[in-house]
Amino acid sequence: MAGVQAGAPSPIGRLGEPLLRKLSDLLDRAVPGRGWRALADLAVSHGRVRLSRMELEQCSLQVLEPDGSPSRSLLQLLAERGCSVLDLRELLQALEHKEALQCLSPPSIRIVVEPESQAAFSGQAVKLNCLAIGHPALHYQWFKQEKEISHGNSPELVFDPINPDDSGFYICRVNSGFSFSFSQWAQLTVCDLQTACPGSSLDLPEKTLYICTHPQSQNLIVGETLVLQCGAVGTPAPKYQWFKNESPLANGDKKAYVISYVDVEHQGAYWCRVYNDQEVQASKKAEVTVGGKSIAVECTEEDLTSIGGPAGLMEQSTERHFAVDKVALLMGNMSYCRHPKLKAPLMDVYELTNLLRQLDFKVVSLLDLTEPEMRNAVDEFLLLLDKGVYGLLYYAGHGYENYGNSFMVPIDAPNPYRAANCLCVQNILKRMQAKETGLNVFLLDMCRKRNEYDNTILILDALKVTANIVFGYATCQGAEAFEIQQSELANGIFMKFLKERLLEDKKITVLLDGVAEDMGKCHLTKGKQALEIRSSLSEKRALTDPIQQTETSAEALARNLQWAKAHELPESMCLEFTCGVQIQLGFAAEFSNVMIVYTRIVKKPPEITVCKAYVTDFPLDLDVDPKESNKGTPEETGSYLLSKDLPQHCLYTRITSLQKLKEDLTFTVCLHYEYTGIDDVVDERKLVNIGKPLIAKLRIHQGFRKDSCFQRCCAPYGPCLSQAPVAGAAKHCPPSSQHLLPHPYMGFCQLSPAQTGNTKQPLKCHCGVTPDRLMAWQSPWMHPCSSYPSNVPVETTDDMSEELGSHLSGSLRF
């Protein structure tokens, strides 16, 4: 989007619609002193325009309109009174509203020299360079992660000498007036010289590679894990490629090369090629031998009989298994940008969370995740797994199945979507197995129909032969999954029956068999949806198995800390205002990324007659709608699940998508009050900072690296897919030319009135409608608003005893 030149005399009314909308949004959500009201006060005080109190009140009342914007109304008034873009820019400069100025004046800054990642020994002198051109004057500020470096105010950031504490990611911000631009990130890796090379004293010339850690030869037995490491220093930062004998290894581009389960075929000489733009070096070769190959066991017929006999069965049936720990990741996607929205995942994830907590699971429950957020959530989930841990992954939302692989669809998936836009469940299973988990349970509440727009075939590495995998599919291959709607709440058919049995002390496959039988008795879904169970479980493992740890290991402590980190709520606080009014501010977690903020006046001096308090000015990342905030009941905010657990007589605000929070969560508590006999309303405000609550601490909004452990090839006559983006880049919307491609209705299919007993209309399934017809049903393609860069880098159940027919809704999760 083109900006407006600083001195342009054009009136405000000639600004483009997208730019006006962006300006209005920024001013509506600005912190106190930089919003639309402050802009109006400045315009009046500077003599630019005259605005009456009635006109400002009319602007303020726009917040009550469905699409109303006080700032947009003010900008219209300024335009009608002849204000130019130059006048507006000067007012915004006085407000120091940098993001709004960035809209009107795009950066005239171009970074010509980017900082380079480097690896160095402690004690060396290291420089990071950033050089930009622009006008009028350029100012530099270096950051380490998000923290300003006090001495980093020049194009060069010098470390002389550098030490291990300097390791980390660095970025430079270049300012020119109110315009700014960021450099690319550069990583510094600092190796302790005495640790890597005891007794050495190296003075390495610039642009030289030096391998300080060589891979070591190893003797292993079948089934053990091979870990080879190579470390180097140099500028630019070294890159790595592992070889076995003379053949390059797939996925061998890291410092460490790992094979989680070795066999005799992995024997050989391993070495690493280390290189950068200046030089190439080879590490020493490490000989890896693998012995202890399994051999056949001779046994008599008597031995075989005793193994399978009643005594053996009796011994097995009395054995009780234990879990080292239990962790679960629950993801429910509903608010799709380009596909039909769903209702059931809200209730399904909430109820399953409460049930699993009763079974001592550490549960992470998340709603409405984008592709990078889903991938990062899975990465965090895998960090909680370890040998002997029970891992459970539940997903409710749109999905499909191609060539035996199941795919979960993020809320930002394009239309049509393909494997590159979704998460492959089988790939996650492979990564879970590498953790040597005691039990892997996948509960997939989604459709499993074929995606005709995706001919991708994923070639995954072979899974381990283990006896700890259980898949519970909400429906059979090629079929849909249904949800039940009741008022504002909904359940998926699968969860409706699963929640009745989940606490039973039975082997997990036996429990799921019972769920399948219950679903089979529901005449409304016969022939439409049936539970499918796949399992390699040979032991009597159950979700009710107790947790038993022989000792408190470092892994267990880290796991507990990581989970607690993602579920830390701010403490309740009492705010006291100058007038003597006290306000209680409390917080409750609905999901791991959804929080309720509630306020209540607990003390009011007698001389104050009218007193109102509300919260506002939430960060732009969270997209909190003022019209849905400060409501008299939780239900009015969209929270139907915590009503009985929250204190009464409060004002409630529901904050969703906490995973998107980039900085501390700050907001303003506003107090309006009147004294006896005085008509004027007095305002007081307090800024509150509650840090990063719940899942926000894990920063799963950041860019991701797509797994490269599988290859893609196309089916005959199918469309060929380009390779997925590589390290560090977050997914963006595809070009607009792709928006027009038709796509089948991928949600929960609805059962028509004919299926629920009403014969006035014929049976119809949305999945069978032709693509041309579907185009009219689809949501408009909405690009997520690209925000301008910041200047600093209890269980509830529903009574389903009544006939289910009238509540069956078709959005099929497929």
Side-chain angles (χ1 to χ4, degrees):
M1 177 175 64
V4 179
Q5 296 301 318
S10 59
I12 294 175
R14 291 189 183 178
L15 290 174
E17 180 62 26
L19 184 53
L20 282 171
R21 188 163 54 247
K22 180 65 179 177
L23 279 172
S24 301
D25 185 60
L26 288 170
L27 291 168
D28 283 339
R29 297 173 179 275
V31 297
R34 291 185 183 173
W36 69 272
R37 193 175 289 275
L39 179 64
D41 292 341
L42 270 178
V44 172
S45 64
H46 289 190
R48 302 293 171 89
V49 295
R50 296 188 63 181
L51 298 171
S52 68
R53 182 174 180 180
M54 180 68 71
E55 287 173 325
L56 292 178
E57 189 172 325
Q58 289 299 318
C59 290
S60 181
L61 290 175
Q62 289 297 312
V63 74
L64 302 178
E65 299 297 327
D67 298 314
S69 165
S71 301
R72 185 60 178 271
S73 182
L74 174 63
L75 290 175
Q76 185 175 348
L77 286 174
L78 294 177
E80 291 172 354
R81 284 157 174 73
C83 270
S84 68
V85 174
L86 179 59
D87 295 330
L88 178 59
R89 189 177 188 280
E90 290 175 352
L91 293 172
L92 291 173
Q93 282 180 330
L95 280 181
E96 296 186 354
H97 199 309
K98 298 179 181 179
E99 290 82 2
L101 282 166
Q102 191 86 346
C103 289
L104 294 176
S105 303
S108 55
I109 302 168
R110 184 162 63 92
I111 295 178
V112 293
V113 176
E114 298 277 5
E116 288 184 325
S117 296
Q118 300 181 43
F121 278 121
S122 57
Q124 288 186 284
V126 173
K127 293 180 183 179
L128 292 177
N129 297 296
C130 176
L131 185 62
I133 57 176
H135 60 82
L138 297 180
H139 302 278
Y140 295 82
Q141 178 60 60
W142 287 89
F143 294 82
K144 181 180 181 182
Q145 266 84 18
E146 295 180 352
K147 185 178 179 182
E148 282 192 14
I149 300 174
S150 57
H151 61 280
N153 307 115
S154 65
E156 285 188 346
L157 182 62
V158 180
F159 302 86
D160 190 13
I162 197 169
N163 63 73
D165 291 339
D166 295 322
S167 294
F169 288 88
Y170 293 81
I171 195 170
C172 184
R173 185 188 69 209
V174 185
N175 286 72
S176 176
F178 287 99
S179 298
F180 56 89
S181 186
F182 282 95
S183 72
Q184 67 184 16
W185 286 97
Q187 182 180 11
L188 281 185
T189 304
V190 184
C191 180
D192 190 337
L193 177 61
Q194 294 305 316
T195 301
C197 309
S200 298
S201 177
L202 296 175
D203 185 15
L204 298 176
E206 195 175 355
K207 307 291 183 184
T208 297
L209 277 179
Y210 181 84
I211 298 178
C212 53
T213 302
H214 290 268
Q216 301 296 310
S217 297
Q218 300 182 40
N219 294 315
L220 304 172
I221 62 173
V222 172
E224 288 189 321
T225 300
L226 170 66
V227 180
L228 296 168
Q229 292 184 317
C230 181
V233 295
T235 304
K239 299 178 182 178
Y240 301 84
Q241 177 58 57
W242 285 90
F243 289 78
K244 179 186 175 185
N245 300 324
E246 300 303 319
S247 300
L249 294 168
N251 305 319
D253 57 352
K254 300 290 182 292
K255 291 182 180 181
Y257 181 73
V258 180
I259 301 175
S260 58
Y261 189 95
V262 297
D263 206 339
V264 289
E265 64 187 30
H266 295 119
Q267 291 186 128
Y270 291 79
W271 59 280
C272 188
R273 176 175 174 265
V274 185
Y275 63 98
N276 60 15
D277 295 343
Q278 308 296 322
E279 193 176 349
V280 178
Q281 289 194 15
S283 74
K284 297 177 182 177
K285 290 188 176 181
E287 293 293 335
V288 175
T289 58
V290 181
K293 184 178 180 181
S294 58
I295 58 173
V297 178
E298 293 185 5
C299 59
T300 66
E301 188 173 344
E302 257 180 37
D303 295 329
L304 290 173
T305 304
S306 64
I307 290 174
L313 291 175
M314 181 65 69
E315 182 180 352
Q316 184 181 13
S317 64
T318 58
E319 181 184 358
R320 183 78 201 200
H321 292 278
F322 297 91
V324 171
D325 207 343
K326 302 178 188 178
V327 295
L329 172 62
L330 280 51
M331 297 183 289
N333 285 343
M334 303 181 298
S335 304
Y336 284 86
C337 297
R338 306 165 188 97
H339 305 285
K341 291 176 170 52
L342 306 175
K343 283 190 176 182
L346 174 75
M347 177 65 83
D348 291 351
V349 170
Y350 184 78
E351 292 189 334
L352 185 57
T353 296
N354 289 328
L355 291 169
L356 290 174
R357 283 175 178 168
Q358 295 179 55
L359 298 174
D360 297 325
F361 272 83
K362 293 179 173 68
V363 183
V364 179
S365 58
L366 301 169
L367 295 183
D368 290 335
L369 302 180
T370 63
E371 182 186 357
E373 291 166 357
M374 287 185 73
R375 294 186 186 276
N376 289 335
V378 169
D379 288 344
E380 293 293 338
F381 171 60
L382 293 172
L383 291 176
L384 298 176
L385 300 181
D386 198 10
K387 186 173 183 178
V389 173
Y390 285 14
L392 183 147
L393 187 146
Y394 171 80
Y395 170 74
H398 291 319
Y400 69 96
E401 185 169 308
N402 277 9
Y403 307 108
N405 290 315
S406 303
F407 295 91
M408 303 179 291
V409 181
I411 64 168
D412 62 339
N415 189 348
Y417 45 70
R418 298 180 176 88
N421 315 120
C422 305
L423 273 72
C424 178
V425 175
Q426 282 69 24
N427 184 36
I428 298 172
L429 170 60
K430 182 174 68 69
R431 298 172 66 194
M432 288 176 70
Q433 280 195 310
K435 300 285 187 174
E436 300 183 17
T437 41
L439 178 64
N440 295 319
V441 179
F442 292 82
L443 302 177
L444 301 177
D445 203 350
M446 66 185 198
C447 288
R448 297 173 64 198
K449 296 194 76 174
R450 170 91 169 85
N451 180 1
E452 62 186 74
Y453 292 94
D454 184 13
N455 287 315
T456 305
I457 301 176
L458 302 186
I459 304 174
L460 300 173
D461 294 339
L463 294 170
K464 288 184 184 179
V465 180
T466 58
N468 63 356
I469 306 167
V470 178
F471 274 94
Y473 293 97
T475 192
C476 295
Q477 187 173 14
E480 301 96 357
F482 296 86
E483 67 181 11
I484 304 167
Q485 292 189 351
Q486 188 175 30
S487 65
E488 293 296 333
L489 301 179
N491 258 133
I493 284 286
F494 177 43
M495 186 55 62
K496 152 64 188 163
F497 294 104
L498 177 65
K499 68 184 182 183
E500 304 298 330
R501 289 184 174 269
L502 197 71
L503 299 181
E504 293 178 357
D505 187 14
K506 294 179 180 178
K507 184 179 176 180
I508 178 61
T509 50
V510 175
L511 184 150
L512 290 175
D513 281 336
V515 176
E517 292 174 7
D518 294 343
M519 288 177 62
K521 297 173 185 176
C522 180
H523 68 279
L524 293 171
T525 53
K526 276 188 178 180
K528 303 177 186 70
Q529 180 176 349
L531 176 64
E532 182 177 333
I533 305 166
R534 295 183 184 177
S535 169
S536 65
L537 195 62
S538 62
E539 300 171 322
K540 192 177 180 181
R541 298 271 180 179
L543 299 181
T544 52
D545 288 345
I547 295 174
Q548 185 179 77
Q549 292 180 336
T550 55
E551 58 181 352
T552 305
S553 64
E555 292 83 359
L557 290 173
R559 185 164 53 248
N560 292 335
L561 287 172
Q562 183 76 353
W563 180 84
K565 182 180 178 181
H567 293 83
E568 184 177 341
L569 267 175
E571 293 185 4
S572 177
M573 60 185 71
C574 188
L575 304 179
E576 185 162 1
F577 288 79
T578 306
C579 62
V581 172
Q582 290 183 357
I583 295 175
Q584 180 191 7
L585 194 63
F587 310 90
E590 190 172 20
F591 297 93
S592 299
N593 65 337
V594 179
M595 182 177 70
I596 308 297
V597 180
Y598 54 91
T599 58
R600 179 171 55 186
I601 297 173
V602 295
K603 179 183 177 183
K604 178 175 71 69
E607 62 271 17
I608 293 179
T609 56
V610 178
C611 189
K612 296 180 182 179
Y614 61 92
V615 293
T616 186
D617 300 331
F618 288 95
L620 296 177
D621 303 336
L622 301 181
D623 194 24
V624 179
D625 188 349
K627 302 180 182 69
E628 303 298 329
S629 306
N630 302 290
K631 297 296 185 178
T633 65
E635 290 83 359
E636 291 179 82
T637 70
S639 175
Y640 302 94
L641 306 174
L642 292 182
S643 300
K644 60 184 175 58
D645 301 312
L646 293 173
Q648 297 181 348
H649 311 299
C650 297
L651 292 181
Y652 308 92
T653 299
R654 187 172 186 256
I655 303 176
T656 61
S657 302
L658 285 172
Q659 76 276 4
K660 299 184 185 302
L661 193 64
K662 296 180 176 63
E663 299 178 2
D664 286 357
L665 176 49
T666 59
F667 55 90
T668 304
V669 180
C670 301
L671 180 67
H672 296 334
Y673 57 92
E674 296 180 17
Y675 286 103
T676 305
I678 302 176
D679 294 335
D680 291 340
V681 178
V682 184
D683 294 343
E684 280 193 53
R685 292 170 173 254
K686 280 188 179 292
L687 188 65
V688 177
N689 185 328
I690 59 172
K692 291 187 174 66
L694 302 177
I695 199 70
K697 285 188 175 65
L698 299 187
R699 305 180 63 81
I700 68 171
H701 65 271
Q702 293 180 328
F704 62 91
R705 176 184 63 82
K706 286 200 172 183
D707 300 319
S708 56
C709 57
F710 56 82
Q711 298 173 348
R712 295 191 177 91
C713 64
C714 297
Y717 311 107
C720 207
L721 294 179
S722 60
Q723 187 65 27
V726 291
K731 272 306 273 185
H732 293 288
C733 294
S736 58
S737 61
Q738 298 182 17
H739 301 176
L740 302 178
L741 292 174
H743 190 273
Y745 185 88
M746 294 195 172
F748 283 102
C749 273
Q750 290 188 342
L751 293 181
S752 72
Q755 294 166 282
T756 60
N758 184 346
T759 57
K760 293 182 180 180
Q761 297 184 21
L763 175 65
K764 181 172 69 174
C765 174
H766 293 167
C767 297
V769 180
T770 60
D772 289 342
R773 180 70 181 89
L774 283 167
M775 290 306 295
W777 292 354
Q778 292 165 359
S779 307
W781 187 286
M782 298 182 296
H783 288 281
C785 257
S786 56
S787 58
Y788 284 81
S790 166
N791 209 22
V792 175
V794 261
E795 179 186 0
T796 56
T797 57
D798 54 315
D799 183 7
M800 302 309 296
S801 59
E802 300 177 1
E803 184 69 14
L804 300 180
S806 59
H807 303 305
L808 277 173
S809 131
S811 323
L812 269 168
R813 298 170 174 169
F814 116 84

